[in-house]
Amino acid sequence: MKTVLKNSQIGDLLFEDGVITKVGGNIDAPGAEEIDCTGKYIMPGVIDAHVHFRSPGHEEKEDWESGSRAALMGGVTTVFDMPNTSPQTITLEALEEKRALAGAKSHVNFGLFFGGTGKNLEEIKRAKGIVGVKVYMGQTTGQTVDETSEFMDGLLRDLFENTERVIAIHAEDEELIKKHNQIYKDDNSPEIHSLIRSDLVSFSACRRAVHLAKKYGGNLHVCHVSTKKEIELLSKYPEVTCEVTPHHLFFTVSDYSRLGNFIKTNPPVRSQNDVDALWEALRNGLVSFVATDHAPHLKVEKERGYWDAPAGVPGVEFALPLMLDSVNNGLLGMEDVVRLMCEGPANVYGVRGKGFLKEGYDADITVVDMDISREVCNEDVVSKCGWTPYAGMTLRGWPVMTFVGGVLMMEGREIVSGNKGKEVVF
Ligand code: NCD
Ligand code: ZN
Ligand code: ZN
Ligand code: ZN
């Protein structure tokens, strides 16, 4: 099967049997299906390197079918799933169980993280084909952390010394969180979330991990960086990679009054000063990529009081439109979006054959229309959670076609194929 995309910003692009075979200029391809992309922008399919698709264990919030359909809507062709499912992906058996689920149901390509607990080093060494090892330094959804900071330091040291893989961390200092929980225990307003999990909570854990990576020579990646303090620290350690989420770019503490626990997430939303530092770090290349931390929770759960509402916000459907809208608003260039959402994650995790529109690369392609304006509505949400914190925002710039492995999967906000994705190779 041959397809040629005609007249995009780079000219034509030809792919055959799931692989890009020619890029640019005017391509004459007899027998190929022609798709007119006049006035459209074509880019590599988005790689969302941080999602929680909840399966196995919490299919009422999301599963590989619903999560991957949501991804397609957002122009996302590859997702990397985190290990805080139920059971957690911390044994070889759980890894194979998730692999089978994703392989059977996912409409996008996928990679799986393995959780590092401090007690499963031997299994980590034997785990094949994983994205990397995820370490939760602080308590978060689906993840209890009873260990001391000393235990955490030992765990990270063992990983840095014993694996070549990327060690991705959720950097929040559990001892500080516990202290702050005591201070605010009689308060029940969502605003306290950003005080309990203060910028120092993130910075403190981030700094410990960075110093250990330096000392023991590990591949450290810091997930969902949210503070100016972390950005300043990481600017001194260019070998440490990091990601930023859309919700930390588009919300601040002033949004609690409107959205309450719907923007309760770990790490929490921050001040405008922090947000400005994140945007600057996106532009100057300090941030390796944007990932959504797509963390669907049900509305009924979010409507509970502060202490009982789970942390996490969904994002896989709207990350690309949010970034494209930012291009239209002059905050970023289109090349920044491609670097931050396609090339960046491919480079950090060493993904084979993805992230670039190059000959020989997989035909994971997203076609975007920079002139479509649409209001984000809860009714349009494909994720099982059925809501989005971005509802009410009008965004200009949307994906109009998503190809996975050369197959047109989404067109004009309709899923048009039931094809399945493949596990990524590193
Ligand atoms: C995530 C979740 O719900 O799985 N929640 C969150 O607040 N970000 C877990 C995580 O990434 O910390
Ligand atoms: Zn996290
Ligand atoms: Zn997460
Ligand atoms: Zn399906």
Side-chain angles (χ1 to χ4, degrees):
M1 206 181 87
K2 279 196 215 179
T3 308
V4 62
L5 307 182
K6 299 292 287 180
N7 301 319
S8 75
Q9 88 287 357
I10 54 163
D12 302 349
L13 182 141
L14 177 69
F15 49 91
E16 299 174 53
D17 301 323
V19 178
I20 297 172
T21 47
K22 226 171 187 187
V23 184
N26 181 42
I27 301 172
D28 191 26
E33 182 195 3
E34 280 196 16
I35 298 177
D36 182 28
C37 290
T38 308
K40 311 280 197 299
Y41 193 100
I42 61 176
M43 59 186 281
V46 171
I47 300 173
D48 188 347
H50 186 155
V51 305
H52 301 270
F53 277 1
R54 304 298 188 209
S55 186
H58 284 287
E59 284 85 359
E60 77 283 4
K61 296 177 199 262
E62 199 79 286
D63 61 34
W64 282 93
E65 169 81 33
S66 61
S68 65
R69 289 170 70 98
L72 291 172
M73 286 297 184
V76 174
T77 54
T78 297
V79 296
F80 295 163
D81 190 62
M82 287 298 169
N84 62 332
T85 41
S86 185
Q88 293 177 30
T89 318
I90 57 176
T91 63
L92 294 174
E93 191 189 348
L95 176 67
E96 291 314 321
E97 184 192 354
K98 188 182 278 187
R99 204 163 246 162
L101 280 169
K105 296 228 163 125
S106 182
H107 296 291
V108 297
N109 303 309
F110 61 91
L112 305 176
F113 275 94
F114 203 86
T117 64
K119 293 159 195 136
N120 63 349
L121 189 59
E122 288 314 309
E123 301 215 55
I124 289 170
K125 285 187 192 162
R126 282 161 48 212
K128 294 230 163 44
I130 57 175
V131 182
V133 181
K134 179 72 181 283
V135 174
Y136 291 94
M137 297 178 74
Q139 180 282 329
T140 189
T141 307
Q143 194 68 48
T144 52
V145 175
D146 299 323
E147 287 80 9
T148 61
S149 298
E150 283 67 37
F151 181 92
M152 274 299 151
D153 290 0
L155 187 174
L156 287 171
R157 182 201 58 219
D158 283 351
L159 290 174
F160 290 144
E161 285 187 334
N162 290 291
T163 112
E164 299 296 305
R165 304 193 181 286
V166 176
I167 309 302
I169 55 165
H170 175 114
E172 288 191 291
D173 184 320
E174 183 60 18
E175 289 176 356
L176 271 181
I177 293 171
K178 286 206 173 101
K179 250 191 230 164
H180 295 171
N181 276 340
Q182 281 311 307
I183 300 175
Y184 294 98
K185 68 180 190 321
D186 297 322
D187 199 330
N188 200 28
S189 61
E191 283 82 1
I192 61 173
H193 197 58
S194 294
L195 302 171
I196 292 172
R197 293 177 183 250
S198 64
D199 55 354
L200 199 62
V201 167
S202 288
F203 175 74
S204 158
C206 183
R207 185 180 49 192
R208 292 174 80 104
V210 165
H211 287 173
L212 291 167
K214 180 128 186 91
K215 190 163 168 193
Y216 299 106
N219 287 328
L220 178 65
H221 175 78
V222 186
C223 292
H224 42 44
V225 164
S226 61
T227 65
K228 185 175 182 180
K229 280 191 168 72
E230 290 164 286
I231 292 292
E232 284 170 353
L233 172 74
L234 293 171
S235 70
K236 297 182 200 121
Y237 298 90
E239 67 281 11
V240 177
T241 58
C242 70
E243 76 196 32
V244 166
T245 72
H247 50 269
H248 290 117
L249 293 167
F250 289 90
F251 296 117
T252 68
V253 289
S254 70
D255 292 302
Y256 280 121
S257 57
R258 185 169 60 90
L259 292 163
N261 291 324
F262 284 90
I263 52 165
K264 177 182 177 182
T265 187
N266 302 329
V269 298
R270 304 290 185 190
S271 70
Q272 188 61 50
N273 197 25
D274 291 300
V275 170
D276 292 343
L278 297 183
W279 277 102
E280 183 48 33
L282 287 189
R283 286 185 288 261
N284 70 22
L286 188 116
V287 172
S288 320
F289 58 82
V290 166
T292 65
D293 189 14
H294 176 75
H297 294 291
L298 301 180
K299 244 188 200 137
V300 288
E301 300 174 305
K302 285 294 202 179
E303 281 161 355
R304 296 175 191 154
Y306 169 73
W307 294 97
D308 299 318
V313 298
V316 75
E317 280 165 77
F318 302 108
L320 181 59
L322 285 163
M323 300 311 278
L324 295 176
D325 186 63
S326 306
V327 171
N328 273 323
N329 291 332
L331 286 168
L332 291 174
M334 197 64 207
E335 68 288 355
D336 294 320
V337 173
V338 172
R339 170 173 56 82
L340 290 164
M341 304 189 84
C342 314
E343 301 168 0
N347 287 335
V348 167
Y349 291 111
V351 179
R352 190 210 279 175
K354 297 192 188 298
F356 298 82
L357 295 180
K358 283 188 191 167
E359 272 175 43
Y361 275 61
D362 296 341
D364 295 343
I365 300 166
T366 297
V367 180
V368 310
D369 187 329
M370 291 302 283
D371 298 319
I372 292 180
S373 251
R374 182 185 289 119
E375 188 184 325
V376 178
C377 296
N378 286 327
E379 296 71 47
D380 296 341
V381 169
V382 171
S383 164
K384 267 194 194 175
C385 69
W387 63 276
T388 165
Y390 306 105
M393 285 175 79
T394 296
L395 303 176
R396 191 153 77 92
W398 289 80
V400 291
M401 281 182 234
T402 309
F403 294 87
V404 178
V407 177
L408 180 61
M409 299 294 295
M410 186 281 283
E411 183 174 18
R413 300 198 61 77
E414 298 286 341
I415 305 293
V416 294
S417 164
N419 218 47
K420 299 295 185 285
K422 293 199 178 88
E423 187 164 4
V424 166
V425 180
F426 299 96

